[in-house]
Every structure is written in C-alpha cells, then in structure tokens.
Amino acid sequence: MPQRTSTPPNGPRSSRTPARGGIHKRRPGPTRVDYDGDLDMDAAGHGVGRGRGGLGRGAQQNQQNHSSNRDNMRDKPGRNGLNPSAMQNAILRGMNSRSLLIRNPKTSLKVRGAFDEAIGRGRDRDKKDGLVQIVVKGLKQSKAAVNPDGGIKALAEFIERKATAPNASASETVRIRKSRPEGDSVIVYVKSEDTAKVTRLNSFVFAGASLSIVPRDSSQGNKVQPESSEETMQLRDRMTAMLNRRYNSELKLLDLSSLGTDPELVNLGIFSSNSRDAKFFPALMTVCDSIFTNSRQKREAVVSVTLANNSLINVSSVTTLSQTFPELQNLDLSNNQLQDLGAIQAWRWKFRHLDHLVISGNPIETNDPTMQEAILKWYPTLRLLNTIQIRSDEDVKGGAEGKFPLPVLAPSFRDEGFIGENFLKLFFPTYDTNRTALANGYYDSESSFSLSINTSAPRAQDGTATKSTSWDAYFKMSRNLTRITTLPARMSRGLTGTDLIRDLWLTLPPTRHPDLLAESHKWCIECHSLPSLPDPTEQSPSGVGGLMVMVHGEFDEVDPSTRETTTTRSFDRTFVLGPGAGVGGIRVVSDILVLRAYGGSEAWQIDGNAAPLSTGSPQITTAPEGFALPVSGKSAEQLQKETMILELGDKTNMTLEYSALCLEQSGWNLEEGLLAFEKVKAILPSQAWSGTKQVQ
C-alpha cells in the first residue's frame, strides 16, 4: 500500500500557510541546555523550520483554529454522528471499568505520585545497580556514524565482542546494559567487574576510527557542558512534574494529549525549534524509564496512553512509546492527522498485548477502507477498534497463545524395514545410560555431530519446568550460526569421528528421556527416505539409500548421585542414517542436536478437526476391462504400450498410472523405464504403489 507523505513547507514563516503541526506556540525564550546530557536539544531560535511528522511546530493561528475546533467539538457531533470529545471522555473513563468494551488490568500497583519519585532517582539508580559509566569517544569519526542510529548499536556490539574472552561462559560475557549519546561521546553502562575488560579496548580501531575509552570518573574534566548540569536537572524535574500531573493512578492512564498547548511546555521553550521538538518525546520516555526499575512495574502502572489532539501526521516522532511501554493495553490516537496505514507503520507488530486502539477523528477512517483488516493482522490480541468489538475473546486468546490458523497434522513416519524404529528404541535409552557404547556402536570416523543452543525459542506457558536453566555446560561447544559468526569458531565446533563425539558427550550433564511407548505424547518423530547418500565403501557411484529421522521431544537433566531431576529441557535432533558396520548394519552419517528451554508438547498435538495424514499405505488397483488385450478398434501400438505398462507394474509394484508415466518419460523403452524407476523409487509417494508390498 503506498504511503502518503507530506511535502515540507518552504520559505519564510510570513509567507507560509498555517503549519500542519499546531500543537504548540512558537515564542522566544532563554537558551536551553541538553536534557540531562541524554539528548542534544538545540537552543531556541527564530530560523526557518519545516513541519514535522509528529509533535511539530505550529503557528499561533493554527493553534487557535485547533482550540476553536475543540470547543466546537464539545457540542457538535462528528461526521459519523458521534461526538468525538464525548467519545474520548467515555473511553478514558472506561479504561478502568469492567465493561465489555475495555479490559481491566489483571494486576495493580500502587503508584500514586510515582512520577514524583523520578526527581533525582534516575541520577543515582546506576550507582545502586552497581553500573559504571564509561565514556567512549571517536564514534562520530567512524564509518558507522552514518547508520540510522548514529552507529551506537554497532559500537555496543563491537565493545561486547572484543571485551569478552573467546571461551568465556555465559556469566563471564560482557554486556552493555544501556548507552546514550552525550555530545561527541557515547556513555555506556557496564557492571563494575567488567570495567577493566572494556577500558582495555582504549585506542582500538572501530570502523576506521580510533576509540578513546575511559571510565567516567577519570574524564570529568572533559565532560560535555558540565556548567549546564544544574539547569539540565531542573529541566528534568519540570518534565517529571508535568508527567506526574498528567498521570491518573486510578485509571492507570498517562495522558499525553494536546502537548503543544501545555502551558508549562510552552514556557520551557520545548517546541521553539525543530531539533528540540524532535527530541522532546524521546526525552519524555527517558524520564519514564528512570522511574521504573523493571518491566513489571511499567506493565502494572501504565495500562493506557492517550496521544489525542497532537496533530500527528505519523508516529515517527513518538515511536519510542513502543519501546518504553511495549505491553500497553489501550492506546488513543484520536483527532490527529493520520492519513493512512503508513502513518502508523512504525508500530506494526509492536504493542503485542494491545486490547483497544482508538484512531477516530483521523483521515485514515475514510481514506483506507481496508484499515481494519490490516490492523487485525498487526495486533493479534486487539479486541476493540474505536470502541467497537472486532475480535472475540476466544480469538484474542488464540492470538495471545500464538496458535497457527492451520490445523496440526499427524507426523509422517515412513520407515523402511523398521530401521528407523529400531534405531530410536535403542538410541535414547543408551544415550541416558552408556554414551560410550552408543558412540562406538553407531558412529565411525566419518560421522559428524554438532550441538547448538536456541535461547530465543518459545517457552511453556503453564509454569512447568521453572527450575534453573543455566546453559553453562553447553555454551562452550554451541554452534548456533546466528551467534557464532567467524569461520574458525564454526569449524572448531563441528565434530567428526567417534572419539571427538564420545568425548564431548561425556562432558554433558546426565539425562533421562521419556519412554517412547509409555509417554509417546511427549515425542514428535518423522522419518523419510533419503536417496543418493555417499557410499562409504565407494562401490556405488550413484550413492546408497538412507533415512532422515527428525525427533522433537524433551529430557530431564538429573543429578548423577541422586538421579533427581534438576531441570527439564526441550530438544530437536536430526539424524541421517545410512548402511554401515554399526549396530544392525547402519551408521549415523550426521547428528544435529538443538537444545532449548522447555516448551512443552502442545505444538504437535493433533487438532481434532485436522484431516488424517496419509500413512503410506499402498493403493490397490485393478486393470480396466480389456486392458492389454486385443480388442476391436485398438491399434497395435496402443496394445504394445498397455502390455509394457502391465509388465513394468508387475516388476515394480507401481500402479498403472505411475507405470505409464514412467514409460512415457523414458520414451516407451521398458529397460529405460526400469532404470528410471531404480533412481526415484526411494522418493515415490505412497499412492504410486500397488498391492501390499513396496519394492525395497
């Protein structure tokens, strides 16, 4: 869908029509300094500016028009017959009700006056948390400075990677807890024990520029604008007071509507220039972040936010709201200038718990008739749009649980001669009790094994297996290719040969897998033929047939002395089996093990209305009457083809249809047809077979 964009006005203010912004007045004021050093807010000026797609500058005439419009809206219904002002007030009142329209928060946090606690608290919280500030200079001279975020993310990843030892455990990994720009520098926060690891990177080259990395205490003499710190703190305190005034603890509502006409913000000169205008809302969200110490407090304190009457043409200037309050339930964007879905594109797939969205009073209502369909896809838990219920509670529950709309089918297990079944029955019990014998029995000098950890996989929602899930025993050999990016590290963590595989297995924690027969619901196993595997004896140039076995399940890690369960994990394991000198005449060609936090077994439970999957049973067919017999009107050529079809079917057990298809593709040459069959028989579908026996 094309997005509508607005062309910024040109020329002096005196020649411009009323601005698009219109949520604040421009008036001269004293020069202001940076907001707590977090944001570089330009001094107030009188230069030419352009309208912005957010909390932009507006002319006094535009403000008066908005004020007049709002006064008129109190008495006049909108074009849809509703009074927008009355609707908004009803919405805000209902955000704490138990009515059908608005979901009441499940939990509550006593936060009356919570925003008052932000005064001075943000300055000391880092010390209480044991974080150390480190000043990094040189980013602006690097090639990464042209990145959309100024290169801060790339710089943080560089410091974390270089400061962490190659074989460090998870607890020893250096993490930058947060970062912020300050003038020409970047301030990063790390744990006190990581200070030496980070500062040793001083003079390292990053993206073509040499970095200066020193602790904050030793760089106070170079601190950006130290003489402005007191005034900066005053600005923070005033913004905090404004937030406190606009916060309703009973409704758990943060009212950020009509910010441009807020007398306190106007007096502060917040909207006196484009630069200060653009940085105001991120600064406001930074103040909010300084109030809460964790996401739970945010979730319980702020359930609803209104950004109504701000003349927003898009959400680019307020997009940080989704980062500060990602679990918001009610969002009001009414009475702005949102033209189409592109105006809120920046919040697509954000607010994953959003229950009610209000966008009435925006041009998007008439410009985009398919708006509701798209919004339903963006927000899977959304029930209400402009106070109208658009999704049932049952559908909302399904969206919150991440249920896929397609039915879950039964696994496909196409074994050959019980090879896969017998292998699995022996493998997992032996892995739990005697890994040395297992490695010696199925793996050879050409067998490969790799292990990786997926820490981002979905976890079980029922509270099962909530014990400690430390990955320290696995991290050293994890070959997660999204985390391990260098070729030497990737190569060193892929093991080949019985000895290396066995030695690694013996370092892993003891395990106990569920019984395959007694607890089959905890397993999901699929098996398929795999043709043309390399022949280890080199006797077959075209390769040999094998099996690919994919196993999804869970296991308990147990204490070696007591055999008590210490934690439960989920896993995915893929085997490639081929003929060899191992147990039962087979060998493990490849073994890939992926570990993840316990996720349960609901993902593969078959839906009741799902169509049954083909089990590979052969199709029993009979030849039509007169087939391959000389009858009146049948040519000699046709009779010969039918005879060949029957002969190929007898030799291969294929149906008449597949036999005819094979001969047709082989030029109706019986010998060529048999050769073609030998090449593809391992991958033929079940409906290709006739009778009760498939050719092995």
Side-chain angles (χ1 to χ4, degrees), residues 519-648:
E519 299 178 280
S520 59
H521 64 282
K522 295 183 178 181
W523 298 84
C524 178
I525 305 174
E526 295 192 302
C527 178
H528 299 279
S529 299
L530 193 63
S532 303
L533 285 176
D535 184 3
T537 64
E538 300 183 354
Q539 296 179 0
S540 175
S542 60
V544 295
L547 293 175
M548 176 179 287
V549 182
M550 293 156 286
V551 184
H552 313 277
E554 64 187 66
F555 64 83
D556 295 331
E557 284 185 10
V558 297
D559 184 278
S561 57
T562 64
R563 301 299 295 176
E564 294 290 331
T565 300
T566 58
T567 190
T568 302
R569 304 186 191 276
S570 291
F571 74 94
D572 310 290
R573 198 159 190 166
T574 302
F575 301 97
V576 174
L577 307 179
V583 177
I586 64 173
R587 60 184 284 262
V588 174
V589 180
S590 173
D591 178 3
I592 301 175
L593 173 61
V594 179
L595 302 179
R596 48 191 171 86
Y598 179 75
S601 57
E602 292 78 11
W604 56 74
Q605 299 305 315
I606 304 173
D607 290 345
N609 57 350
L613 190 68
S614 174
T615 60
S617 300
Q619 304 294 317
I620 300 177
T621 59
T622 57
E625 183 178 355
F627 191 84
L629 296 176
V631 295
S632 177
K634 182 181 296 185
S635 65
E637 180 182 8
Q638 180 65 23
L639 177 61
Q640 183 182 10
K641 288 182 177 180
E642 291 179 357
T643 303
M644 292 171 61
I645 292 173
L646 276 182
E647 185 176 356
L648 181 62

Side-chain angles (χ1 to χ4, degrees), residues 66 69 126 169 257 301 365 391 478 499 531 609 637 684 690:
H66 277 284
N69 290 340
D126 300 322
S169 64
S257 63
E365 289 185 286
R391 182 183 275 137
S478 174
D499 294 340
N609 57 350
E637 180 182 8
L684 287 177
S690 176

Side-chain angles (χ1 to χ4, degrees), residues 165-291:
N167 295 325
S169 64
S171 60
E172 297 172 339
T173 302
V174 175
R175 299 293 184 196
I176 292 179
R177 302 301 169 175
K178 62 179 181 176
S179 60
R180 58 180 175 84
E182 186 178 274
D184 292 334
S185 307
V186 176
I187 309 300
V188 298
Y189 296 77
V190 299
K191 290 184 177 181
S192 57
E193 57 266 28
D194 293 334
T195 304
K197 300 177 184 178
V198 175
T199 54
R200 73 176 179 83
L201 305 180
N202 188 36
S203 300
F204 270 46
V205 176
F206 166 72
S210 178
L211 298 178
S212 170
I213 304 178
V214 293
R216 184 69 182 229
D217 292 339
S218 61
S219 62
Q220 288 299 318
N222 298 323
K223 184 178 179 180
V224 179
Q225 298 178 345
E227 69 279 359
S228 303
S229 59
E230 183 177 353
E231 189 171 0
T232 301
M233 290 301 103
Q234 291 179 0
L235 179 60
R236 170 191 283 269
D237 292 345
R238 291 184 180 182
M239 295 177 70
T240 302
M242 184 272 292
L243 285 169
N244 183 60
R245 174 169 49 84
R246 285 173 168 266
Y247 176 67
N248 187 320
S249 61
E250 295 180 357
L251 300 180
K252 304 187 186 305
L253 166 69
L254 182 57
D255 184 358
L256 301 179
S257 63
S258 306
L259 291 173
T261 57
D262 188 290
E264 187 173 352
L265 297 178
V266 172
N267 291 334
L268 287 173
I270 294 296
F271 309 112
S272 58
S273 70
N274 284 335
S275 178
R276 294 173 67 85
D277 178 9
K279 296 173 182 177
F280 161 69
F281 198 85
L284 205 61
M285 294 297 98
T286 302
V287 174
C288 292
D289 281 330
S290 71
I291 296 169

Side-chain angles (χ1 to χ4, degrees), residues 428-576:
F428 288 103
T430 310
Y431 183 86
D432 294 337
T433 57
N434 193 341
R435 295 176 184 175
T436 298
L438 182 64
N440 293 334
Y442 281 117
Y443 295 74
D444 58 25
S445 60
E446 299 297 324
S447 300
S448 65
F449 173 79
S450 67
L451 176 149
S452 63
I453 302 170
N454 181 5
T455 57
S456 60
R459 298 170 182 255
Q461 302 297 318
D462 57 2
T464 306
T466 56
K467 298 181 180 179
S468 173
T469 55
S470 171
W471 298 100
D472 290 350
Y474 304 96
F475 262 123
K476 187 175 181 179
M477 289 304 298
S478 174
R479 197 171 180 261
N480 188 330
L481 298 183
T482 62
R483 304 291 180 89
I484 309 299
T485 57
T486 61
L487 182 59
R490 289 181 172 183
M491 297 298 293
S492 65
R493 301 184 184 203
L495 305 181
T496 301
T498 306
D499 294 340
L500 292 178
I501 296 172
R502 179 190 62 240
D503 293 345
L504 174 60
W505 284 1
L506 295 178
T507 66
L508 302 180
T511 57
R512 180 171 54 236
H513 290 78
D515 186 272
L516 275 167
L517 298 179
E519 299 178 280
S520 59
H521 64 282
K522 295 183 178 181
W523 298 84
C524 178
I525 305 174
E526 295 192 302
C527 178
H528 299 279
S529 299
L530 193 63
S532 303
L533 285 176
D535 184 3
T537 64
E538 300 183 354
Q539 296 179 0
S540 175
S542 60
V544 295
L547 293 175
M548 176 179 287
V549 182
M550 293 156 286
V551 184
H552 313 277
E554 64 187 66
F555 64 83
D556 295 331
E557 284 185 10
V558 297
D559 184 278
S561 57
T562 64
R563 301 299 295 176
E564 294 290 331
T565 300
T566 58
T567 190
T568 302
R569 304 186 191 276
S570 291
F571 74 94
D572 310 290
R573 198 159 190 166
T574 302
F575 301 97
V576 174

Side-chain angles (χ1 to χ4, degrees), residues 262-528:
D262 188 290
E264 187 173 352
L265 297 178
V266 172
N267 291 334
L268 287 173
I270 294 296
F271 309 112
S272 58
S273 70
N274 284 335
S275 178
R276 294 173 67 85
D277 178 9
K279 296 173 182 177
F280 161 69
F281 198 85
L284 205 61
M285 294 297 98
T286 302
V287 174
C288 292
D289 281 330
S290 71
I291 296 169
F292 306 104
T293 59
N294 54 57
S295 59
R296 181 184 61 82
Q297 287 187 357
K298 288 183 183 180
R299 180 175 63 251
E300 296 177 347
V302 180
V303 174
S304 309
V305 170
T306 174
L307 287 166
N309 301 308
N310 278 317
S311 296
L312 296 169
I313 64 173
N314 58 53
V315 298
S316 61
S317 63
V318 295
T319 186
T320 49
L321 179 71
S322 63
Q323 302 169 17
T324 303
F325 299 107
E327 299 180 85
L328 203 63
Q329 295 183 28
N330 306 299
L331 177 61
D332 180 12
L333 295 172
S334 61
N335 301 324
N336 284 289
Q337 300 298 321
L338 306 175
Q339 297 289 331
D340 52 32
L341 283 174
I344 57 176
Q345 179 78 18
W347 282 343
R348 181 183 182 185
W349 303 114
K350 308 295 184 181
F351 304 119
R352 304 305 291 169
H353 301 278
L354 192 64
D355 181 61
H356 189 186
L357 176 64
V358 181
I359 53 176
S360 58
N362 285 279
I364 188 176
E365 289 185 286
T366 56
N367 292 346
D368 193 345
T370 63
M371 169 192 66
Q372 177 174 317
E373 180 181 352
I375 288 179
L376 282 171
K377 295 179 180 178
W378 290 5
Y379 306 109
T381 63
L382 189 71
R383 284 190 313 133
L384 306 168
L385 181 63
N386 296 336
T387 73
I388 299 175
Q389 186 161 358
I390 58 175
R391 182 183 275 137
S392 68
D393 292 344
E394 182 178 352
D395 290 340
V396 169
K397 182 180 180 181
E401 295 176 353
K403 289 186 177 179
F404 197 65
L406 297 179
V408 179
L409 302 180
S412 173
F413 194 85
R414 302 182 184 276
D415 198 359
E416 292 187 6
F418 302 99
I419 293 174
E421 179 181 342
N422 292 334
F423 169 78
L424 294 173
K425 288 180 178 179
L426 180 62
F427 183 90
F428 288 103
T430 310
Y431 183 86
D432 294 337
T433 57
N434 193 341
R435 295 176 184 175
T436 298
L438 182 64
N440 293 334
Y442 281 117
Y443 295 74
D444 58 25
S445 60
E446 299 297 324
S447 300
S448 65
F449 173 79
S450 67
L451 176 149
S452 63
I453 302 170
N454 181 5
T455 57
S456 60
R459 298 170 182 255
Q461 302 297 318
D462 57 2
T464 306
T466 56
K467 298 181 180 179
S468 173
T469 55
S470 171
W471 298 100
D472 290 350
Y474 304 96
F475 262 123
K476 187 175 181 179
M477 289 304 298
S478 174
R479 197 171 180 261
N480 188 330
L481 298 183
T482 62
R483 304 291 180 89
I484 309 299
T485 57
T486 61
L487 182 59
R490 289 181 172 183
M491 297 298 293
S492 65
R493 301 184 184 203
L495 305 181
T496 301
T498 306
D499 294 340
L500 292 178
I501 296 172
R502 179 190 62 240
D503 293 345
L504 174 60
W505 284 1
L506 295 178
T507 66
L508 302 180
T511 57
R512 180 171 54 236
H513 290 78
D515 186 272
L516 275 167
L517 298 179
E519 299 178 280
S520 59
H521 64 282
K522 295 183 178 181
W523 298 84
C524 178
I525 305 174
E526 295 192 302
C527 178
H528 299 279

Side-chain angles (χ1 to χ4, degrees), residues 113-162:
F115 286 98
D116 286 325
E117 299 178 8
I119 301 176
R121 182 168 161 187
R123 300 190 295 271
D124 300 329
R125 185 160 58 94
D126 300 322
K127 295 180 180 179
K128 295 178 180 179
D129 291 345
L131 298 182
V132 175
Q133 299 183 36
I134 296 179
V135 181
V136 182
K137 293 185 178 181
L139 175 61
K140 288 194 173 182
Q141 289 74 40
S142 70
K143 298 177 183 178
V146 299
N147 294 354
D149 65 342
I152 294 179
K153 180 180 179 181
L155 175 65
E157 292 175 348
F158 173 82
I159 293 175
E160 290 178 343
R161 184 171 65 253
K162 294 295 183 180

